[in-house]
Amino acid sequence: KVGEQKHAREPSSLQQCMHLAVVACGDRLEETLIMLKSAILFSNRRLCFHIFAEDSLRPEFEKKLKEWPSSYTKKSEHHIYPITFSVGNAQEWKKLFKPCAAQRLFLPVILKDVDSLLYVDTDVLFLRPIEDIWHILKEFNSTQLAAMAPEHEIPKIGWYSRFARHPYYGTTGVNSGVMLMNLTRIRSTQFKNSMIPSGLSWEEMLYPLYQKYKNHITWGDQDLLNIIFYFNPECLYVFPCQWNYRPDHCMYGSNCKGAEEEGVSILHGNRGVYHDDKQPTFKALYEVIRDFPFEDNLFQSLYYPLQSKFLDTVHTLCGRIPQVFLKQIEKTMKKVYENRVIVYLGANHRY
């Protein structure tokens, strides 16, 4: 099964992990740490964090992660890497869209001993265990090697369908802020492209593709991924919007049916909404997770403050649907309670 393949040279410590990769440059230290915190708060399986950061941030990550309580660090390990680009001009890649965001394109080349991983932007928050999205890897068919959510649910108001000057996947394009990747398959695939009749490997394709389309792309590496999967649609698995829920899904009215039915699974606070007052519902979630003391009771110190903050957001379109944001957290809280309290008590009151 796709999610269970193991690279022959993969160290045994990595084999037990769910791999999570993120790229942090500029002022993204806090956002990244809060994202990692949300990941470890709710997950039960071991996590391996792969953090790509510019030189000035790497010591800060080491310092902050060492401050986490041992009960949480035992559930994870982290690896911190410099920003590197194996092909093309490094300065060009660094300036493509947001600082260092193009690094994600090179994950299959750099992480040679990792079979599969979940890449997320720094402004992502997990509202349920990572293992739930990790299971999607097992749903890949024989040709699929990556998974993303649509950029928009409604083509007539989607960005790609209205403004794109380059090929893009499907009717609305895809958003790369949350991306499952089977690196083993990516490394071994020859990709169809618009440059030569025969296929190219992932690494061979990246820089020529950028050179061809650099004057037509707006969203940097995300646009390049859309171009790749336009020519190779059979390689992409599309997961529903609740796994990459952005302000666009509620700021014009609710348009993510999956979130309405199941709740938001992964929150993506793009547009800088964690740091301004344009979308207070998103900001409330970010601040509550940021301020949650690791060892405190999740109900008392996370869920209740969140409910209270949500009362101040009902004047916004996103704030009018609090159940969409709370549904998965409620389920996760219940599971955490059962795992940590009921199971524990059951074991101690067996006789």
Side-chain angles (χ1 to χ4, degrees):
K1 292 182 180 179
V2 173
E4 297 175 353
Q5 293 173 358
K6 301 299 177 188
H7 193 285
R9 294 182 295 129
E10 189 173 4
S12 58
S13 64
L14 296 182
Q15 290 180 0
Q16 310 303 319
C17 276
M18 295 181 295
H19 297 273
L20 178 66
V22 64
V23 180
C25 287
D27 59 356
R28 299 304 181 102
L29 175 70
E30 183 190 80
E31 265 190 8
T32 307
L33 289 167
I34 305 310
M35 179 275 292
L36 297 175
K37 183 179 182 180
S38 73
I40 205 166
L41 275 178
F42 299 130
S43 290
N44 297 309
R45 284 184 54 189
R46 185 168 182 78
L47 297 170
C48 283
F49 299 137
H50 301 275
I51 304 164
F52 291 80
E54 58 187 346
D55 294 346
S56 60
L57 293 183
R58 296 209 303 277
E60 286 297 308
F61 274 114
E62 289 286 5
K63 177 185 174 184
K64 295 293 185 182
L65 291 170
K66 283 180 181 176
E67 294 173 359
W68 283 12
S70 59
S71 58
Y72 286 91
T73 56
K74 286 177 182 177
K75 293 169 53 180
S76 67
E77 60 184 80
H78 66 269
H79 309 268
I80 302 177
Y81 310 83
I83 302 295
T84 55
F85 304 97
S86 60
V87 294
N89 185 303
Q91 292 307 312
E92 278 188 283
W93 286 122
K94 282 183 180 179
K95 293 175 182 177
L96 183 63
F97 191 45
K98 293 181 181 177
C100 307
Q103 181 71 76
R104 86 183 82 182
L105 298 173
F106 294 86
L107 296 178
V109 181
I110 298 169
L111 300 176
K112 295 184 184 297
D113 292 326
V114 176
D115 172 66
S116 297
L117 63 77
L118 174 64
Y119 165 86
V120 295
D121 285 349
T122 61
D123 52 9
V124 155
L125 293 172
F126 293 92
L127 305 186
R128 66 190 288 184
I130 289 185
E131 43 264 44
D132 293 342
I133 190 171
W134 192 257
H135 288 315
I136 292 176
L137 286 163
K138 297 180 181 180
E139 298 177 18
F140 283 12
N141 65 25
S142 60
T143 62
Q144 291 166 337
L145 46 76
M148 288 182 275
E151 171 65 21
H152 214 286
E153 300 302 300
I154 305 171
K156 67 180 180 180
I157 60 174
W159 193 92
Y160 283 107
S161 49
R162 290 186 294 162
F163 304 119
R165 296 184 295 140
H166 59 78
Y168 58 89
Y169 179 88
T171 57
T172 62
V174 283
N175 184 281
S176 60
V178 179
M179 183 179 180
L180 277 168
M181 306 170 77
N182 184 309
L183 302 184
T184 300
R185 287 189 175 184
I186 291 174
R187 286 187 286 262
S188 62
T189 297
Q190 292 290 304
F191 292 88
K192 299 188 290 292
N193 60 87
S194 59
M195 295 168 290
I196 63 172
S198 59
L200 289 170
S201 72
W202 185 266
E203 188 174 19
E204 292 170 338
M205 175 176 55
L206 290 179
Y207 195 61
L209 196 71
Y210 165 69
Q211 288 294 313
K212 179 170 182 176
Y213 291 103
K214 65 180 180 180
N215 295 324
H216 302 284
I217 60 178
T218 302
W219 306 112
D221 50 303
Q222 177 173 291
D223 289 348
L224 293 179
L225 290 165
N226 267 280
I227 295 166
I228 290 170
F229 291 112
Y230 169 84
F231 290 105
N232 301 270
E234 73 284 356
C235 293
L236 188 67
Y237 179 108
V238 179
F239 50 67
C241 49
Q242 65 264 31
W243 294 105
N244 186 352
Y245 191 90
R246 286 162 279 124
D248 304 71
H249 290 120
C250 57
M251 61 192 288
Y252 309 114
S254 183
N255 60 50
C256 177
K257 296 298 181 185
E260 291 173 14
E261 294 168 2
E262 297 184 19
V264 175
S265 297
I266 296 179
L267 193 76
H268 185 180
N270 64 339
R271 300 176 180 264
V273 294
Y274 296 148
H275 312 293
D276 60 32
D277 296 317
K278 292 178 181 177
Q279 296 299 334
T281 312
F282 283 74
K283 187 177 182 180
L285 276 155
Y286 179 81
E287 290 181 343
V288 166
I289 293 175
R290 179 195 66 194
D291 298 339
F292 172 72
F294 263 112
E295 304 285 12
D296 270 21
N297 180 284
L298 284 167
F299 283 97
Q300 214 165 19
S301 301
L302 192 149
Y303 186 65
Y304 293 149
L306 188 57
Q307 285 184 313
S308 178
K309 279 179 177 283
F310 273 11
L311 291 175
D312 298 326
T313 73
V314 294
H315 63 286
T316 67
L317 284 172
C318 294
R320 290 177 188 174
I321 49 172
Q323 71 281 1
V324 166
F325 297 91
L326 292 172
K327 192 174 288 187
Q328 279 300 330
I329 295 180
E330 288 170 353
K331 288 183 180 179
T332 300
M333 294 285 179
K334 185 179 179 183
K335 287 180 182 176
V336 168
Y337 178 77
E338 289 172 348
N339 288 339
R340 297 183 184 177
V341 179
I342 297 175
V343 173
Y344 174 80
L345 288 175
N348 285 277
H349 293 80
R350 192 173 298 167
Y351 304 107

